[in-house]
C-alpha cells in the first residue's frame, strides 16, 4: 500500500484515480459528516452549489431531510443548520438525510468522487478509516485535505498524519515504505509533534482562529478528539455518503 497526501483539492492530480480516496476536512465538514452518520442519519449528500442543493432536496420528503449551508464558517441564511457537528444530535438527525454545502470540504469530496472507494475522514473517526485500510489493503490511497480556498490547512494535514502514523504502527510498516510522496512524511512529522495537544494545534490553524472568532470553541474541542466515533462514511453513489458500519 502507498499513501499520498494532497493538501488541497487543487493540488490533487486530475489524470488518474487512486484505489481509495479519503477526503479530510477536520474543521468541520468531514467531522460533521461522521457525526451525522454515527447519530443515525440516513445519508449525507454533498453539494458545492447552494441552489442545486435546494433544488435536489425539495424532491425529498420534508420530514426526512435536513439542510445545512456554510460559507466562511457561518450558517447560510435560510438553512436549518450551519456546519457544527454539535448540532447533529441523534434526536435531530436519526433517519434523515443531511443535504450539505460547505466552503471547502464538499469540494474535496467532489474532487475524488470518481475513485472506486471514497471515504470521509476526520480525527474523530480516524481508527475506523485505519481499520478499513488494514482490512482492504488498497494499493494506492490518497488523503485529500480540503484546505481553505486553495491554501494548506494544518488541521487536515495533521489528520492525514494521524491516519498514516496509526496505519504504520498497526501494520508494522515504516513511514518510508508507506510514503507515496513527501507530503506524507511531513504529515506524520506534524502529527508526531502535536499528537498530545491537537486542540493546541487547532488554535494555531487559520481556520481554527476564524471559528474561534465565530465563538465555535466547543467545535474545536470536539473536532480535536481522536477515535471517538466508530463510523466509516463511504460514498454510496456520487455525492451521497452512508455509514459502512
Ligand atoms: C469548509 O468546508 O470549508 C469547512 O467545513 C468550513 C466550516 O468550518 O464550516
Amino acid at each position: 500500500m502507498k499513501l499520498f497526501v494532497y493538501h488541497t483539492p487543487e493540488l490533487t492530480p486530475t489524470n488518474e484515480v487512486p484505489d481509495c480516496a479519503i477526503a479530510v476536512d477536520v474543521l468541520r465538514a468531514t467531522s460533521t459528516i461522521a457525526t451525522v452518520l454515527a447519530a443515525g442519519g440516513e445519508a449525507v449528500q454533498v453539494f458545492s452549489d447552494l441552489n442545486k442543493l435546494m433544488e435536489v432536496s425539495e424532491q425529498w420528503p420534508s420530514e426526512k431531510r435536513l439542510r445545512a449551508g456554510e460559507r466562511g464558517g457561518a450558517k447560510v441564511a435560510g438553512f436549518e443548520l450551519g456546519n457544527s457537528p454539535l448540532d447533529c444530535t441523534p434526536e435531530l438527525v436519526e433517519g434523515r438525510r443531511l443535504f450539505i454545502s460547505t466552503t471547502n470540504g464538499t469540494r474535496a469530496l467532489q474532487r475524488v468522487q470518481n475513485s472506486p472507494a471514497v471515504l470521509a475522514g476526520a480525527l474523530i473517526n480516524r481508527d475506523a478509516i485505519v481499520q478499513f485500510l488494514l482490512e482492504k489493503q488498497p494499493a494506492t490511497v490518497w488523503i485529500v485535505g480540503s484546505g481553505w480556498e486553495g491554501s494548506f490547512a494544518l488541521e487536515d494535514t495533521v489528520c492525514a498524519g494521524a491516519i498514516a502514523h496509526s496505519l504504520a504502527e498497526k501494520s508494522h510498516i515504516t513511514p518510508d515504505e508507506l510514503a507515496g510522496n513527501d507530503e506524507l512524511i511531513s504529515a506524520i512529522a506534524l502529527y508526531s509533534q502535536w499528537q498530545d495537544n491537537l486542540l493546541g494545534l487547532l488554535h494555531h490553524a487559520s481556520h481554527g482562529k476564524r471559528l474561534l472568532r465565530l465563538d465555535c470553541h466547543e467545535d474545536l474541542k470536539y473536532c480535536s478528539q481522536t477515535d471517538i466515533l466508530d463510523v466509516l462514511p463511504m460514498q454510496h453513489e456520487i455525492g451521497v455518503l452512508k455509514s459502512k458500519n
Side-chain angles (χ1 to χ4, degrees):
M1 193 188 319
K2 284 286 180 197
L3 252 66
F4 299 76
V5 172
Y6 298 107
H7 293 310
T8 63
E10 289 77 4
L11 288 168
T12 306
T14 51
N15 55 349
E16 52 184 317
V17 292
D19 297 308
C20 175
I22 305 162
V24 172
D25 186 11
V26 169
L27 296 174
R28 296 164 289 175
T30 56
S31 298
T32 296
I33 291 168
T35 302
V36 168
L37 295 178
E42 179 265 333
V44 177
Q45 189 160 354
V46 300
F47 296 83
S48 49
D49 183 72
L50 292 166
N51 294 328
K52 183 82 185 154
L53 184 160
M54 280 300 184
E55 190 189 310
V56 174
S57 61
E58 275 306 319
Q59 295 154 25
W60 207 256
S62 57
E63 70 282 5
K64 291 274 178 200
R65 75 168 181 234
L66 281 166
R67 296 192 278 216
E70 169 275 330
R71 288 294 179 267
K75 175 163 132 12
V76 179
F79 282 71
E80 289 149 294
L81 297 170
N83 187 22
S84 173
L86 297 178
D87 290 338
C88 303
T89 59
E91 296 72 36
L92 184 68
V93 306
E94 198 159 9
R96 298 170 102 177
R97 177 171 293 208
L98 182 76
F99 295 85
I100 186 169
S101 178
T102 71
T103 315
N104 305 284
T106 49
R107 284 175 47 245
L109 276 159
Q110 285 179 334
R111 182 65 205 78
V112 292
Q113 66 185 7
N114 293 322
S115 309
V118 178
L119 309 175
L123 291 166
I124 55 175
N125 71 334
R126 182 265 309 256
D127 195 50
I129 299 281
V130 170
Q131 291 306 329
F132 175 86
L133 298 176
L134 288 170
E135 189 189 321
K136 303 288 179 199
Q137 294 288 325
T140 51
V141 179
W142 292 1
I143 306 178
V144 175
S146 302
W148 186 266
E149 296 181 339
S151 299
F152 174 93
L154 276 173
E155 64 276 17
D156 296 338
T157 302
V158 85
C159 181
I163 293 168
H165 184 273
S166 171
L167 187 66
E169 230 173 48
K170 292 191 165 142
S171 56
H172 308 290
I173 298 177
T174 65
D176 252 1
E177 286 171 299
L178 207 53
N181 60 6
D182 287 3
E183 288 88 330
L184 193 276
I185 301 289
S186 75
I188 292 177
L190 183 68
Y191 175 72
S192 301
Q193 175 81 20
W194 286 91
Q195 58 183 313
D196 297 326
N197 186 14
L198 290 167
L199 180 58
L201 180 67
L202 265 47
H203 276 78
H204 286 295
S206 56
H207 186 48
K209 290 179 182 161
R210 183 178 295 106
L211 290 175
L212 290 172
R213 287 193 295 273
L214 292 166
D215 285 333
C216 298
H217 298 76
E218 294 303 318
D219 280 13
L220 259 68
K221 269 195 209 161
Y222 176 77
C223 295
S224 69
Q225 302 171 96
T226 43
D227 308 333
I228 59 163
L229 297 182
D230 183 19
V231 66
L232 187 69
M234 179 175 247
Q235 184 174 261
H236 178 77
E237 59 190 88
I238 296 279
V240 178
L241 293 119
K242 294 191 173 189
S243 170
K244 184 88 177 25
N245 294 353

